[in-house]
């Protein structure tokens, strides 16, 4: 709060019986209320270098998303002058994992400027 940025750590868990390899930076979209055709892709700015991450059965990998935070309360605003956008969930896609719809702990994903910065997939837990 108050920093102008918000962040979300997304955990990928391998629930299969085989190892999988995740690679790169994720794609991110605001969910289209149950209809993939209505998803709103966000412009992704990758940070850090990407290398393949092998995830054993039962293992995990993480990515961190950082976005421009909506300021204020119920009548929130974007410092850039853009209109804030609120999604109930987001869709995160990662090479080797497919696309997954996720919700944040507070129940909404509110962002400004249609952009998100992402780390590459990593086997080290992020906070």
């Amino acid at each position: 709060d108050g920093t102008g940025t918000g962040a979300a750590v997304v955990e990928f868990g391998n629930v299969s019986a085989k190892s999988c390899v995740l690679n790169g930076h994720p794609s991110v979209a605001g969910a289209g209320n149950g209809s993939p055709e209505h998803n709103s892709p966000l412009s992704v700015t990758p940070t850090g270098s990407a290398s393949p991450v092998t995830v054993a059965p039962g293992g995990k990998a993480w990515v961190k998303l950082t976005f421009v935070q909506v300021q204020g309360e119920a009548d929130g605003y974007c410092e850039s002058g853009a209109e804030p956008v609120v999604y109930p969930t987001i869709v995160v896609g990662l090479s080797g994992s497919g696309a997954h719809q996720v919700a944040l702990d507070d129940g909404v994903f509110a962002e400004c400027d249609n952009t998100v910065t992402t780390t590459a997939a990593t086997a080290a837990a992020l906070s």
Side-chain angles (χ1 to χ4, degrees), residues 6 24 26 41 47 56 63 66 70 76 98 108 110 112 123:
T47 61
V63 297
T66 308
V70 174
V108 296
C112 291

Side-chain angles (χ1 to χ4, degrees), residues 53-121:
V53 175
T54 301
V55 183
K60 296 178 181 178
W62 294 264
V63 297
K64 186 172 186 176
L65 314 176
T66 308
F67 49 93
V68 178
Q69 193 171 29
V70 174
Q71 302 296 308
E73 294 295 326
D75 59 347
Y77 66 94
C78 297
E79 289 188 3
S80 67
E83 279 293 314
V85 179
V86 177
Y87 302 103
T89 59
I90 55 175
V91 178
V92 179
L94 188 58
S95 176
S97 169
H100 305 277
Q101 193 161 337
V102 296
L104 299 182
D105 288 343
D106 68 1
V108 296
F109 178 76
E111 64 90 27
C112 291
D113 304 330
N114 197 34
T115 61
V116 62
T117 301
T118 68
T119 65

Side-chain angles (χ1 to χ4, degrees), residues 3-89:
T3 63
T5 60
V9 173
V10 179
E11 178 182 277
F12 292 85
N14 183 352
V15 296
S16 75
K18 296 182 179 181
S19 292
C20 65
V21 177
L22 305 180
N23 196 14
H25 295 81
S27 62
V28 182
N33 295 319
S35 178
E37 303 85 48
H38 295 122
N39 288 351
S40 298
L42 301 178
S43 175
V44 173
T45 302
T47 61
S49 59
S51 58
V53 175
T54 301
V55 183
K60 296 178 181 178
W62 294 264
V63 297
K64 186 172 186 176
L65 314 176
T66 308
F67 49 93
V68 178
Q69 193 171 29
V70 174
Q71 302 296 308
E73 294 295 326
D75 59 347
Y77 66 94
C78 297
E79 289 188 3
S80 67
E83 279 293 314
V85 179
V86 177
Y87 302 103
T89 59

